[in-house]
Amino acid sequence: MRLAVQDIALRAGSFRLGPLTLDVGDGEYLIVLGPTGAGKSVFLAVSAASFLKYPRTQVVFFDKDRSSRFACLRCGGAFVEISREATGAKLHPCLL
């Protein structure tokens, strides 16, 4: 699977994201870093939602602090709270 984004941009009020261009090939990893309010969660939500145009696509977020909740619900998905506070368990996605 490959993720390619070209000149993605978003404006909402005074918030500005992009334009961003990236290409992540099969077997490669992507890490998104930035300060609070820089648009990391918005970028990931928009990128994930763009995959939903393909039949039988499933998108899974491992999300701390519920930043993907709105996008998940808006796209018709199910948001499952897996925090330690909600379940008493600690999630280690890399061990799955």
Side-chain angles (χ1 to χ4, degrees), residues 10-93:
L10 176 72
R11 292 182 185 156
S14 63
F15 178 80
R16 303 282 188 264
L17 174 66
L20 298 171
T21 298
L22 64 96
D23 189 350
V24 182
D26 192 25
E28 295 180 336
Y29 297 91
L30 169 70
I31 185 167
V32 180
L33 300 172
T36 301
K40 301 175 300 290
S41 297
V42 172
F43 167 71
L44 292 173
V46 168
S47 298
S50 70
F51 280 104
L52 298 177
K53 65 184 174 185
Y54 300 106
R56 299 186 310 269
T57 297
Q58 294 182 335
V59 176
V60 178
F61 275 96
F62 290 102
D63 182 12
K64 180 182 176 242
D65 300 330
R66 305 173 78 189
S67 61
S68 68
R69 183 176 184 273
F70 176 78
C72 178
L73 297 175
R74 186 72 176 116
C75 291
F79 185 85
V80 179
E81 184 72 54
I82 54 175
S83 69
R84 179 180 290 199
E85 294 79 21
T87 64
K90 188 171 183 181
L91 176 69
H92 292 283

